[in-house]
Amino acid sequence: MKFFKYIPAAFLLVLMVSCKPKPRAVDVPVVGFVDAFEDATISQARIGFIDALKKNGFSEEKKTVQIEYRNAQGNIPTLTQIVNYFISEKVDLLATCTTLATVTALQNTKTIPDFAMVSPVPERMKVLDASGKAPANLFGALEELNYIDTSFSIIPKLIKPKGAKLVVGMIYNQAEPQSADAVDRIKSLAASQNVTIVALPVNTSADAQLVTQSLLSKNIDAFFANPDNTVFASFETILKSCNEKNVPIFTSEAGLVQRGAVAAFGADIYQWGYQAGEQAAQYLKTHKTNGLKWEMVKVRKRVYNAAAAKKYNITIPSNFEAVK
């Protein structure tokens, strides 16, 4: 999660008035879809979610569902206003994309079902209750950190160090629990593989260029883009800086490979949203949560960017698929 600038109250008032949902049609369920920020990769989750609803008979074109979409544009007060507005409008369900949106929804309602995507497991979001249970209204598809081991382990197999040890750089937002956890996990894994990690904190995407350039001055062999909203939002800036210094980027997020990273083993963002959408469709058919619970994300892919691999003269294993 990023630190965000506060938006003036007057602007928020105008925003919420302009966000007023379309009049509800009789017997047509309403979905409140909340995105925390704007990002080309993350937006694939919403497309997958909507496609899953359509496949199951819930289509705005056929007027069998009403989907109200709001994007907080990376602003926490706006995000809270959006969630509370949907709650006041008594939407049938919430769909939340990325950690911040999911946590905000869970903090503000215990009754409206929340079908989450692009978010970590409840423990990583720190939403467990005193007895260790997840919120009863949390559903959708979530992710753990085990897959990062496989993602990171690609690097020593493909990159030769310039010095005695392989040095991998990272930037991370300390305010994002899943990002801080990922850094700790990677540091432990790197130690067992004789790899040195240089990790620098970044507070906002506006700081990403300066922090990345500082990281690149430390003679790193590769950059690892971990699951971090700030990294997602500033990826093109990171990529430009790394390419200028001939430092390849690896990642745990398949969507970033399409944007220029060399390779990844990670969740397919479109399929992540689709999986959450299938659950949401099941709920809309019955308006009951019987048999539903949050699930681990199911579709992970080994993918590579052919142009990036060619630029760095990296031979990719045969079990990786080239992104289109």
Side-chain angles (χ1 to χ4, degrees):
M1 305 171 193
K2 299 171 280 187
F3 293 144
F4 304 101
K5 293 181 180 179
Y6 184 77
I7 289 182
F11 178 79
L12 284 176
L13 180 60
V14 172
L15 174 68
M16 297 320 299
V17 170
S18 66
C19 282
K20 187 173 179 62
K22 301 183 288 288
R24 296 181 67 155
V26 178
D27 297 328
V28 174
V30 178
V31 174
F33 195 109
V34 187
D35 250 330
F37 63 98
E38 195 78 40
D39 181 83
T41 299
I42 299 301
S43 66
Q44 292 298 310
R46 178 164 62 101
I47 296 172
F49 183 89
I50 292 172
D51 283 353
L53 291 185
K54 285 182 180 179
K55 182 183 176 183
N56 285 275
F58 296 99
S59 164
E60 285 205 293
E61 290 79 6
K62 295 181 179 179
K63 301 187 185 305
T64 51
V65 71
Q66 183 173 322
I67 301 173
E68 294 294 336
Y69 175 70
R70 303 290 181 268
N71 191 309
Q73 300 295 330
N75 185 275
I76 291 176
T78 303
L79 180 59
T80 303
Q81 289 276 355
I82 290 169
V83 168
N84 284 331
Y85 194 74
F86 280 150
I87 293 170
S88 71
E89 289 293 317
K90 296 186 170 83
V91 296
D92 292 88
L93 65 86
L94 290 166
T96 54
C97 190
T98 75
T99 310
L100 187 57
T102 300
V103 171
T104 302
L106 296 174
Q107 288 173 339
N108 286 279
T109 179
K110 305 299 180 186
T111 55
I112 298 177
D114 179 16
F115 293 85
M117 64 207 82
V118 198
S119 301
V121 295
E123 179 183 3
R124 301 294 178 190
M125 287 192 286
K126 304 187 186 305
V127 295
L128 299 178
D129 64 18
S131 63
K133 293 182 179 179
N137 63 324
L138 174 61
F139 304 95
L142 307 177
E143 182 62 290
E144 59 183 354
L145 286 179
N146 290 339
Y147 75 103
I148 287 181
D149 295 359
T150 304
S151 305
F152 183 83
S153 296
I154 295 168
I155 303 174
K157 297 175 182 177
L158 301 181
I159 300 296
K160 293 182 179 180
K162 293 188 283 283
K165 289 179 64 175
L166 187 69
V167 181
V168 177
M170 300 175 62
I171 66 173
Y172 68 103
N173 192 327
Q174 295 167 300
E176 293 192 41
Q178 79 276 13
S179 184
D181 287 347
V183 171
D184 290 340
R185 188 181 189 96
I186 289 169
K187 284 181 177 179
S188 177
L189 178 64
S192 69
Q193 297 185 351
N194 197 34
V195 176
T196 297
I197 296 295
V198 180
L200 297 181
V202 60
N203 292 330
T204 71
S205 56
D207 302 326
Q209 182 175 12
L210 185 61
V211 175
T212 300
Q213 290 175 347
S214 177
L215 186 67
L216 290 167
S217 72
K218 300 181 185 299
N219 202 33
I220 62 175
D221 296 298
F223 182 100
F224 186 73
N226 61 313
D228 182 303
N229 291 342
T230 306
V231 172
F232 269 110
S234 55
F235 185 74
E236 277 63 36
T237 296
I238 295 169
L239 178 67
K240 183 176 184 294
S241 296
C242 286
N243 281 343
E244 288 173 352
K245 294 293 185 179
N246 290 312
V247 173
I249 298 177
F250 294 84
T251 180
S252 58
E253 309 304 315
L256 294 184
V257 176
Q258 290 181 312
R259 293 165 68 178
V262 175
F265 171 72
D268 180 288
I269 300 295
Y270 172 88
Q271 291 295 335
W272 200 336
Y274 194 95
Q275 184 178 342
E278 287 190 312
Q279 274 203 8
Q282 185 176 337
Y283 173 75
L284 290 176
K285 289 175 181 177
T286 64
H287 274 269
K288 295 180 180 179
T289 58
N290 298 350
L292 290 176
K293 60 182 180 180
W294 67 265
E295 304 171 336
M296 294 300 302
V297 63
K298 295 175 181 177
V299 180
R300 296 186 181 90
K301 293 183 176 180
R302 288 176 170 83
V303 294
Y304 75 97
N305 184 304
K310 182 179 180 180
K311 171 181 172 60
Y312 291 104
N313 195 29
I314 297 172
T315 302
I316 303 296
S318 60
N319 62 337
F320 278 70
E321 173 188 349
V323 295
K324 297 178 181 179

